[in-house]
């Protein structure tokens, strides 16, 4: 997130590719407030953007889009908090970007389903690699496919 994802999202904003209101919700096991996450993101942008890309006003605008929730992929911790945060925009497109190890793609997919976070506008994006070999990739694809239809 720090080196690649947050700068990439910042660039999307700079290109005018976010419709309003767009929120970006960071989630991990770490316990952070929204403000602490915004500060983390601003620091990451200062460190990882190329020279001349950091614009204080745009970073403030970008940071205002950021929210954070502490969630554990393998337990019930934090999922209700995430649901409350997402319920504020039920009609919006939801893209769950899983920047985690492939071993927990299935767990997270099932938690998203079990906590009723899937709407008709929900998407899931998983980072590569997907599995260690063809058999494990097929298993992961099938696990995610039980929750999210491919189309």
């Amino acid at each position: 997130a720090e080196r690649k994802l947050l700068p990439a999202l910042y660039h999307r904003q700079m290109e005018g590719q976010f419709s309003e209101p767009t929120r970006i919700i960071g989630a991990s096991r770490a316990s952070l407030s929204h403000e602490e996450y915004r500060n983390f993101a601003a620091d990451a942008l200062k460190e990882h953007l190329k020279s001349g890309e950091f614009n204080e006003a745009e970073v403030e605008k970008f940071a205002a889009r950021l929210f954070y929730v502490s969630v554990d992929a393998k337990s019930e911790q934090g999922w209700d908090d995430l649901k409350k945060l997402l319920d504020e925009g039920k009609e919006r497109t939801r893209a769950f970007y899983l920047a985690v190890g492939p071993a927990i793609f299935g767990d997270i997919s099932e938690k998203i389903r079990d906590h009723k976070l899937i709407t008709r506008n929900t998407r899931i994006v998983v980072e590569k690699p997907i599995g260690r070999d063809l058999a494990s990739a097929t298993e992961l694809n099938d696990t995610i496919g039980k929750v999210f239809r491919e189309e």
Side-chain angles (χ1 to χ4, degrees), residues 2 8 11 22 27 34 36 41 53 57 63-64 78 83 86 93 105 127-128 130 132 149:
E2 183 178 352
H11 286 123
T22 292
H34 299 309
E36 288 170 325
E53 290 181 336
K83 182 171 177 45
L86 289 172
T93 299
F105 288 165
E127 282 193 346
K128 297 186 286 182
I130 300 176
R132 298 169 310 283
R149 295 188 333 250

Side-chain angles (χ1 to χ4, degrees), residues 102-119:
I104 59 174
F105 288 165
D107 294 322
I108 293 172
S109 298
E110 290 167 352
K111 292 290 186 193
I112 291 169
R113 178 198 60 212
D114 295 348
H115 288 273
K116 300 181 179 15
L117 302 178
I118 300 173
T119 68

Side-chain angles (χ1 to χ4, degrees), residues 5-45:
L5 190 55
L6 288 168
L9 290 168
Y10 173 79
H11 286 123
R12 299 295 61 82
Q13 175 175 293
M14 293 294 288
E15 295 293 325
Q17 294 178 346
F18 289 141
S19 59
E20 295 302 336
T22 292
R23 293 183 306 160
I24 299 166
I25 302 169
S28 75
R29 289 179 300 197
S31 180
L32 297 173
S33 68
H34 299 309
E35 196 57 37
E36 288 170 325
Y37 186 65
R38 291 173 183 140
N39 291 336
F40 163 79
D43 290 344
L45 293 174

